[in-house]
Amino acid sequence: MVEAIISLPEPQLALSLLGIRDQHLKTIRQSLGVVVTHGDGRIRVSGQQEAVERATAVIEQLKSRAERLGGLTEGDVQGVLAAVTGTGRDAPPIDIISSGRTIRPRTAGQARYIDSIREHDLVFAIGPAGSGKTYLAVAMAVEALKRHQVRKIVLVRPAVEAGESLGFLPGDLQAKINPYLRPLLDALREMVDYDQIKRYMEMDVVEVLPLAYMRGRTLNEAFIILDEAQNTTVSQMKMFLTRMGEGSKIVASGDITQTDLPPHSSSGLKDALRRLQHIQGVDVVRLTKADIVRHRLVQDIVHAYDRESKTKRSSSEKRG
């Protein structure tokens, strides 16, 4: 048994690091099998040497993050745990078509997301930009196609400005909607050769289309992904979900804090979460800022915007 001591000079820092009712420390204890106690401005970690070293590294990283950001979420704790322990790196890779290309979850949250897609027929993925919602769903769709678990992949996005604004764009209808579908195609092209994608699209094995084109269809043995699902209306979401046929799987992903719908319009994603999350076979995965795996600055950018939004909300509530 060994022991390590970490100093916490500021009471406010200790509160952020420990979490409400010491929840963050409990998470570290359970994940790493160490004894963690705190008192007199110190955190004591005891246990087997390797476990103590990992726990100390986790706490030091969380301490640094709390000093920088002023607070921690459970997602932050899970993300640092995954980075230190290699949770994402040890997870089984996603089997995609391109030779030599390995895709695997890089955080604990992403690993849970992959497991959820494998185990459920309908998954709602909620999280900020850069947390891997769309990218990992597309990778799982490619894996399912390669393993003959499905016969086709359908990638769908709502064209929020499908009214007047779209008409001012140059070109035919396909040219007008391409900008809305580009993120889905970009993800797919990282995993499948361009010529192969072209053949798949010609054979109708892969479809990339606006949400409105789903009306009236029934899709059997298909892996269907709805991107930017927060921008669907309630009726659009119902229409989309009821396209699901035998042997199909649906992943609907979005960021419920970034809705682009007109004022006073209800988000179909929020409504579906309320109605469907307790139905057997349906799962909801909530990714956090800790799961952001884009450029290192993206996580700090998201934090900065969130902090300003919270400050404005607080000021508004005080004035009210």
Side-chain angles (χ1 to χ4, degrees):
M1 292 277 287
V2 298
E3 183 179 80
I5 297 176
I6 300 163
S7 297
L8 299 175
E10 299 176 14
Q12 188 58 40
L13 176 61
L15 182 62
S16 298
L17 187 57
L18 302 176
I20 298 172
R21 297 180 182 174
D22 294 348
Q23 185 58 50
H24 298 335
L25 288 193
K26 290 176 185 175
T27 299
I28 295 169
R29 285 190 200 113
Q30 293 168 1
S31 299
L32 299 176
V34 291
V35 176
V36 187
T37 59
H38 68 91
D40 301 323
R42 295 177 177 180
I43 291 179
R44 289 178 170 81
V45 184
S46 59
Q48 298 299 318
Q49 183 168 345
E50 183 179 354
V52 169
E53 288 174 357
R54 286 185 170 186
T56 303
V58 168
I59 293 169
E60 290 288 2
Q61 287 191 36
L62 290 173
K63 178 182 172 183
S64 175
R65 185 171 293 194
E67 287 172 336
R68 190 173 78 251
L69 302 175
L72 294 172
T73 66
E74 184 63 20
D76 293 326
V77 178
Q78 293 287 356
V80 172
L81 275 167
V84 170
T85 62
T87 301
R89 290 189 297 273
D90 294 339
I94 300 170
D95 186 10
I96 61 174
I97 290 172
S98 298
S99 59
R101 180 90 167 108
T102 300
I103 295 177
R104 64 176 75 238
R106 293 169 59 183
T107 69
Q110 289 186 352
R112 288 196 301 274
Y113 181 31
I114 294 304
D115 288 341
S116 178
I117 293 174
R118 287 188 167 128
E119 294 169 8
H120 298 85
D121 289 335
L122 173 55
V123 175
F124 293 99
I126 316 300
S131 55
K133 304 183 302 294
T134 303
Y135 188 81
L136 291 173
V138 172
M140 291 296 291
V142 172
E143 178 186 74
L145 185 65
K146 179 178 180 181
R147 294 182 174 181
H148 305 290
Q149 295 167 345
V150 297
R151 290 189 296 109
K152 71 183 302 173
I153 297 172
V154 182
L155 308 176
V156 185
R157 238 182 175 225
V160 177
E161 299 190 37
E164 193 172 69
S165 300
L166 206 56
F168 290 103
L169 294 172
D172 58 15
L173 180 61
Q174 192 61 43
K176 292 175 191 290
I177 62 178
N178 269 344
Y180 293 100
L181 306 178
R182 176 60 56 186
L184 293 168
L185 281 169
D186 287 346
L188 189 61
R189 284 172 180 162
E190 282 199 37
M191 304 168 200
V192 184
D193 294 337
Y194 176 80
D195 290 340
Q196 182 78 322
I197 293 175
K198 189 175 179 181
R199 285 194 297 272
Y200 278 155
M201 296 182 83
E202 288 171 352
M203 296 164 58
D204 219 22
V205 173
V206 171
E207 288 187 79
V208 186
L209 69 163
L211 178 60
Y213 283 37
M214 295 286 287
R215 191 172 298 279
R217 303 182 64 182
T218 299
L219 295 168
N220 296 316
E221 298 179 68
F223 197 119
I224 312 158
I225 298 170
L226 174 61
D227 190 34
E228 300 292 339
Q230 77 277 4
N231 289 330
T232 62
T233 63
V234 173
S235 60
Q236 285 174 332
M237 178 62 80
K238 179 184 176 184
M239 179 274 292
F240 170 75
L241 294 175
T242 52
R243 301 310 93 197
M244 189 179 198
E246 289 294 325
S248 288
K249 187 182 289 284
I250 286 180
V251 177
S253 66
D255 180 355
I256 54 178
T257 69
Q258 299 291 331
T259 301
D260 298 319
L261 290 168
H264 311 300
S265 294
S266 297
S267 167
L269 179 57
K270 289 183 181 179
D271 180 76
L273 293 175
R274 178 180 63 82
R275 293 176 189 265
L276 308 177
Q277 61 182 330
H278 299 302
I279 294 177
Q280 187 174 358
V282 177
D283 195 27
V284 179
V285 177
R286 299 183 186 275
L287 300 170
T288 71
K289 293 184 283 289
D291 298 302
I292 294 175
V293 292
R294 289 181 182 170
H295 190 285
R296 63 175 182 81
L297 286 176
V298 173
Q299 198 170 98
D300 290 339
I301 291 167
V302 172
H303 275 296
Y305 276 95
D306 282 354
R307 278 202 307 274
E308 184 170 326
S309 296
K310 288 175 183 175
T311 301
K312 287 181 178 177
R313 268 201 312 273
S314 177
S315 299
S316 176
E317 288 169 0
K318 287 178 182 177
R319 286 197 301 272

